[in-house]
Amino acid sequence: GTPLHFLGRPALTSLSPADLAIRTDALVLPFFATRQADGISFRVEVEAPLASSDPVALTEMINARIEARIEATPGQWLWMHRRWKSKWNRGAGAAPDLHPAARPRRMSR
């Protein structure tokens, strides 16, 4: 991955989706599903297409759209892998209220 800005920290980010979109002249449509108060239904929003001829710039735009959604509704954020891959505190982990982006930057080995 390429270290790009995400929630105030550098995060290794794949450029593959942006590279593929650029090579195939495909639209990149940011879309988000927000769980509704009933706990069952979702509201899906599709935003305006993103465009760039540079994979890094396009990926930064994608990250910015995801960041905006997370900041607007942080309780909706579900990430299925360790976004910031690092070990901290000799494997004991961080304080429960510590945001993942605030964790120390020591890289895993």
Side-chain angles (χ1 to χ4, degrees), residues 9 11 20 22 39-41 48 51 56-57 59 61 76 83 87 99:
R9 300 288 301 244
L20 182 62
I22 291 167
I40 298 170
S41 57
V56 171
T59 303
M61 285 188 259
Q76 297 283 332
R83 191 67 183 96
K87 293 182 180 178
H99 187 280

Side-chain angles (χ1 to χ4, degrees), residues 30-81:
F31 68 96
F32 301 93
T34 305
R35 185 180 301 273
Q36 299 303 289
D38 64 12
I40 298 170
S41 57
F42 290 84
R43 185 169 128 217
V44 176
E45 296 175 69
V46 180
E47 297 182 351
L50 302 176
S52 177
S53 60
D54 173 34
V56 171
L58 184 53
T59 303
E60 287 174 336
M61 285 188 259
I62 293 168
N63 279 358
R65 297 309 313 134
I66 295 170
E67 283 179 323
R69 262 321 146 130
I70 291 169
E71 290 168 356
T73 54
Q76 297 283 332
W77 186 29
L78 173 65
W79 207 271
M80 302 305 278
H81 69 284

